[in-house]
Amino acid sequence: MPASQTASLLTDSTLESLRARTPGLRSTVHFNHAGASLPSTGTLEAIHAHLQREATMGPMEAGVAAREQTERARLLAARLLNAQPDEIALTGGNSPGWSAAFAALPPWRPGDRILVGRHEWGGNLAAMRLAAQRTGAIVETIPSDESGCVDPQALEAMLDERVRLIALTWLPANGGLINPAAAIGLVARRHGIAYFVDAAQAVGQLPVDVAEIGCDVLSGAGRKALRGPRGTGLLYVRRDFLDKLIPACVDTHSAPLGADGQPVLRQDAARLESAENSLALRCGLANALQEALDIGVDAIRMRIDAAAETLRAQLEDIAGITVLDQGRERSGLVSFNMAGRDAVSVQRALAGRGVTIGSNGVPYTPLDMQARGLTQIARASVSYLTSGEEIDRLLEALRSI
């Protein structure tokens, strides 16, 4: 059973306690949780404790001493995603994990087809298009339905024997839409096509069950909804899919030499890891994962959804502001634009008033931005920690500019 199914409701007293253990909330009104959220005191202490061990014991010796603690992140990530620990790689972030898995796929051939959702992350799209340029493969966009979501029926109509990969960004970076990841997975499984899910914004914000989604690979970030340290990520690789992935780069961790001097690839997802990583950050990630599991992702989802819907409704009442979110079900990313001002200037004006938001340009989600005629969007993303008072501060600041 996914850990999220055991969630309890977040009470006011629990939220107050969680906010008190988040030092960043004392100095900023933070609405850029989709960029990077604010870590807890516990996560900071876990990082600092390992750095202290490295300073006093020596970094290599500290790594041996803390091996069980750092590996705990893998076990907790498996619980969070309803996976097995050997299906989890610990990475340096969402993009490094996704890219490592993509680069490990068998060589592309002329005419091979890669099908992507309209909301695909620009970094993933760059990797796929570069591979296509080199090999003659083709990257094509799956149509969206009237709500803006990737359309599973349209995907099915595109399929033939040349389709080798379906890639989906589950929660786009440029707004609140949530794509139907499980419905896309049903199509991929029915036709035996590799299926990659970029879940950078989903992990820690929504219940994630890789078995239900039906994906072969799923990547996530530590720094976003999980409130973990920047420079950490999770990569799920389905056990039966692992042998299809030959890493582009290996070392003594991912492919140690055997007695005959030949490399022996690991038989778990860690074949996509590097021997060189920050164990201090992994300690912090383990703490962040434990906190998310203790709170319960169902409860987190309910709280984020309530805050985001409140913010959307009130933004729509401000003259000159257009809320840009699409989709039937929405995430905690709230996108909007202000008449007469570009998104970056709105972001800077709010920062001058002590309120932090994000702004996205075309490179982040190029296919969707171009399809909708958008050049920039302002993005206010909420957390389960977001309070009504903070929403009021944001709205007041927007009215003032």
Side-chain angles (χ1 to χ4, degrees):
M1 177 184 295
S4 62
Q5 294 181 10
T6 65
S8 59
L9 293 177
L10 279 169
T11 64
D12 289 343
S13 60
T14 300
L15 284 167
E16 184 178 347
S17 176
L18 290 168
R19 286 179 59 85
R21 297 200 300 271
T22 305
L25 293 176
R26 301 169 200 153
S27 57
T28 186
V29 178
H30 194 68
F31 282 91
N32 194 20
H33 298 280
S37 196
L38 301 172
S40 71
T41 300
T43 293
L44 295 172
E45 289 174 347
I47 296 169
H48 294 161
H50 187 76
L51 290 175
Q52 187 64 30
R53 281 191 292 269
E54 290 189 349
T56 56
M57 300 174 64
M60 304 304 290
E61 293 74 15
V64 173
R67 182 172 295 157
E68 182 177 346
Q69 182 178 354
T70 55
E71 278 297 303
R72 185 165 151 263
R74 193 185 314 277
L75 303 177
L76 295 171
R79 282 181 56 196
L80 187 74
L81 304 182
N82 192 30
Q84 297 301 313
D86 66 351
E87 296 177 308
I88 301 295
L90 300 176
T91 68
N94 184 75
S95 290
W98 191 98
S99 296
F102 179 76
L105 287 168
W108 298 94
R109 304 176 300 263
D112 282 346
R113 300 171 66 205
I114 303 170
L115 306 185
V116 304
R118 197 177 78 189
H119 319 89
E120 193 65 14
W121 170 247
N124 301 346
L125 199 57
M128 290 183 278
R129 284 181 166 171
L130 187 60
Q133 289 173 8
R134 290 173 172 170
T135 63
I138 305 165
V139 180
E140 302 174 59
T141 306
I142 307 163
S144 293
D145 62 22
E146 68 282 355
S147 76
C149 292
V150 174
D151 188 340
Q153 292 182 330
L155 166 64
E156 187 122 33
M158 296 177 72
L159 299 182
D160 62 21
E161 70 282 354
R162 295 180 298 138
V163 177
R164 284 189 47 206
L165 176 65
I166 298 168
L168 181 77
T169 290
W170 191 358
L171 276 61
N174 67 332
L177 178 144
I178 299 178
N179 273 313
I184 298 297
L186 285 174
V187 177
R189 293 281 65 75
R190 188 158 54 243
H191 294 272
I193 300 169
Y195 179 33
F196 279 33
V197 175
D198 183 325
Q201 301 290 357
V203 173
Q205 179 177 171
L206 304 180
V208 178
D209 184 336
V210 291
E212 179 183 343
I213 295 169
C215 54
D216 297 297
V217 170
L218 181 142
S219 59
R223 63 184 160 91
K224 299 179 185 287
L226 283 173
R227 300 176 59 211
R230 191 172 189 179
T232 60
L234 314 173
L235 182 70
Y236 160 79
V237 180
R238 185 170 58 84
R239 186 179 286 163
D240 293 343
F241 190 72
L242 182 67
D243 285 343
K244 294 181 173 63
L245 299 180
I246 306 300
C249 298
V250 296
D251 58 24
T252 55
H253 174 75
S254 54
L257 298 179
D260 59 356
Q262 297 303 310
V264 180
L265 279 172
R266 292 181 63 120
Q267 293 304 301
D268 58 16
R271 68 167 55 180
L272 296 172
E273 293 179 355
S274 168
E276 188 62 35
N277 55 76
S278 170
L279 299 185
L281 294 183
R282 283 194 180 179
C283 289
L285 177 62
N287 186 81
L289 285 162
Q290 186 66 67
E291 288 181 355
L293 289 164
D294 288 346
I295 295 166
V297 183
D298 281 337
I300 288 172
R301 168 61 179 150
M302 288 176 62
R303 176 77 186 178
I304 287 176
D305 185 51
E309 287 305 311
T310 296
L311 177 57
R312 285 189 186 98
Q314 296 191 42
L315 280 173
E316 288 173 343
D317 289 337
I318 299 178
I321 287 185
T322 303
V323 176
L324 300 169
D325 293 333
Q326 295 185 313
R328 298 181 185 86
E329 181 186 10
R330 293 176 177 175
S331 72
L333 285 70
V334 181
S335 62
F336 64 94
N337 274 333
M338 177 179 284
R341 299 196 67 150
D342 65 85
V344 172
S345 73
V346 172
Q347 181 184 27
R348 290 172 178 166
L350 290 174
R353 291 160 172 80
V355 179
T356 304
I357 68 165
S359 64
N360 283 20
V362 172
Y364 278 37
T365 44
L367 299 175
D368 186 62
M369 296 285 276
Q370 291 162 359
R372 296 166 64 191
L374 299 170
T375 56
Q376 287 186 342
I377 58 99
R379 187 186 69 190
S381 47
V382 302
S383 163
Y384 59 89
L385 297 175
T386 301
S387 68
E389 291 79 9
E390 286 172 327
I391 291 175
D392 290 343
R393 281 277 305 276
L394 170 60
L395 297 169
E396 178 185 355
L398 284 168
R399 291 188 187 101
S400 74
I401 64 173

